[in-house]
Amino acid sequence: MGPSTSRLTGLDLNLLVILRELLRERNVTRAAQRVGLSQPAASAALARLRKHFGDELLVRAQGGYELSALAHQLADRVEGVCDGIEALLSTGAEFDPATSHREFTVVLSDYAIAVLGERLAATAAEQAPHVRLNLVLVREALSARIAQTIRAVDAVLSTPNARFRVPEIRSTTLFRDRWVCIAGRGSRFGAALTEDDVRDAGWVVPYHRDSEFPSVVPVSGQLAALGVRPAVGIRVDSYQAVPFLVASTDRLALVQERLARLYAEQLGLRVLDPPAPLEPLVSRLWWHERHTDEPAHAWFRRVVVRAARAIGAADA
C-alpha cells in the first residue's frame, strides 16, 4: 500500500464535507447547520481536521475566524475533490430532484442575477426543494482562465468571446438583450443621442481598465464599436451599480436594456438609443463536456433554460 493510499484510509472522507463548509463559512456553527450536524460534532470534526493537517485551519481573529495560510490552499482544492466524489457516486445513478441535496455552482454576473435570478431560484425550488444553488459572482479575470474555471464549477453564464473556444466546453443560448444608453432625467442629453454626445460625455463604465481597451468585457467592445474611448468618470466592478451612479449626474452609461428598465422608474433614468446600432448581447450557459450526460446536470441545465424562457428571452 503506497503512502498516498495510507493517508486516504486514515481519513474519514465524510470530514471532507465539513471541511468544505468550515472553509466556506469560517464559522463552526454555520458550517454545522449547512451539513446537518450539531455544533459539538462540527467542533469535534474541526479538531480531527486540525490534527490530520497539523494546522489550525481556522485562526481566531477579531469578530470571528480567519483562514490560515494552509486553509487558503485547501479551500480551492477541497471544492474540486468534493465535486469529484459527488460525480463519482452519482455515476450511473438516476437523479431525483425531489429528494436530492446536491449543490450546483454557477459563475455569473450581477446583471445575470438581476435578469434571471428570481426565475432561476423559483424554478429550482419548485422542482427540487433541497437542492442548493451556489451563485458565484464573476470576477474580471474569469475569461482569461475560463478553461480552469469551467472544470471547477457546474456552469458559467456569460456572453461568448474567443477565450471560450475550448474543445471540451459545451454551451446553449439562454437569452438576448439589447444595448442602450442611460442618462439622468436632469442631464443635458436630448432624446436622440448624437455621435458628439457620446464622444464628449463623461461615462460610468463597469469593469473598465485603462490599460486594456477594448477588453473582453462586453461593454468595452460595444463602446469601441461606437468609436468611443470613454472619458471615465466612475468605474465600478458591478453592472447593477451603474444605474445608481448615473442617475444624479450628467454622465452616460451603456448598459443592457433589461437592466436599464429594471431601474429606470425607480431612479428617474432616461433610456436612450445609441447613435449607431450595436450587436445584441447573447447570454449563454457553458459547461464542461464531462457533465453533458450526467442526469443531475442535465436536469439542472433544463431548469436554467426553463427560467430563461420564463423571462421571455430564451433561444435555446
Side-chain angles (χ1 to χ4, degrees):
M1 183 180 295
S4 61
T5 305
S6 298
R7 287 195 296 270
L8 195 60
T9 55
L11 176 66
D12 178 358
L13 294 183
N14 288 320
L15 287 175
L16 290 173
V17 178
I18 187 63
L19 174 62
R20 177 173 62 176
E21 299 307 328
L22 286 166
L23 299 183
R24 284 177 177 176
E25 299 292 340
R26 305 185 187 191
N27 181 284
V28 176
T29 301
R30 289 199 301 270
Q33 292 170 345
R34 290 274 302 221
V35 298
L37 292 177
S38 66
Q39 198 276 344
S43 295
L46 176 57
R48 292 177 63 189
L49 288 163
R50 284 170 165 166
K51 181 178 179 181
H52 177 83
F53 289 106
D55 187 87
E56 282 296 294
L57 301 178
L58 297 183
V59 181
R60 191 174 294 278
Q62 185 175 4
Y65 287 93
E66 294 180 353
L67 299 186
S68 70
L70 177 62
H72 278 289
Q73 296 179 43
L74 293 174
D76 289 334
R77 296 180 182 180
V78 74
E79 295 287 347
V81 169
C82 287
D83 288 345
I85 291 173
E86 288 176 356
L88 174 67
L89 295 179
S90 64
T91 300
E94 292 298 321
F95 174 72
D96 182 3
T99 59
S100 175
H101 286 73
R102 176 162 171 168
E103 179 173 278
F104 294 91
T105 298
V106 184
V107 177
L108 73 175
S109 68
D110 62 346
Y111 153 70
I113 288 180
V115 171
L116 190 64
E118 180 181 1
R119 290 310 314 159
L120 176 58
T123 304
E126 176 186 342
Q127 296 186 22
H130 308 295
V131 157
R132 298 179 298 179
L133 301 180
N134 179 27
L135 303 183
V136 180
L137 285 181
V138 68
R139 295 191 294 268
E140 180 190 9
L142 165 66
S143 293
R145 49 185 177 78
I146 186 59
Q148 292 77 23
T149 299
I150 206 76
R151 291 184 180 94
V153 301
D154 288 288
V156 173
L157 203 163
S158 173
T159 56
N161 65 61
R163 291 172 177 170
F164 281 84
R165 293 173 189 159
V166 178
E168 63 266 30
I169 294 180
R170 303 290 179 263
S171 72
T172 188
T173 301
L174 291 178
F175 61 89
R176 299 175 183 269
D177 210 340
R178 191 170 75 94
W179 293 103
V180 297
C181 291
I182 54 173
R185 186 168 290 165
S187 69
R188 60 186 168 87
F189 301 103
L193 289 175
T194 67
E195 291 182 1
D196 288 342
D197 287 333
V198 298
R199 184 184 63 248
D200 299 335
W203 288 83
V204 177
V205 186
Y207 303 101
H208 179 77
R209 297 294 178 266
D210 289 327
S211 60
E212 184 185 2
F213 183 85
S215 70
V216 295
V217 177
V219 173
S220 177
Q222 297 304 318
L223 287 170
L226 289 174
V228 174
R229 184 170 186 119
V232 180
I234 301 177
R235 67 184 76 203
V236 61
D237 287 350
S238 165
Y239 290 109
Q240 286 197 56
V242 171
F244 293 88
L245 301 174
V246 169
S248 298
T249 75
D250 204 32
R251 297 186 172 103
L252 288 176
L254 186 69
V255 301
Q256 305 90 338
E257 184 175 23
R258 291 178 178 274
L259 186 64
R261 299 295 178 190
L262 280 176
Y263 292 112
E265 183 175 353
Q266 174 188 348
L267 299 176
L269 296 171
R270 294 160 62 209
V271 181
L272 308 170
D273 287 329
L278 295 172
E279 290 293 321
L281 178 149
V282 180
S283 291
R284 298 182 67 84
L285 187 72
W286 309 81
W287 67 92
H288 194 276
E289 63 181 3
R290 73 175 186 272
H291 294 311
T292 298
D293 296 324
E294 182 191 346
H297 204 275
W299 169 84
F300 178 68
R301 296 196 304 272
R302 290 193 297 271
V303 165
V304 180
V305 169
R306 180 179 172 187
R309 287 177 178 157
I311 64 171
D315 183 24

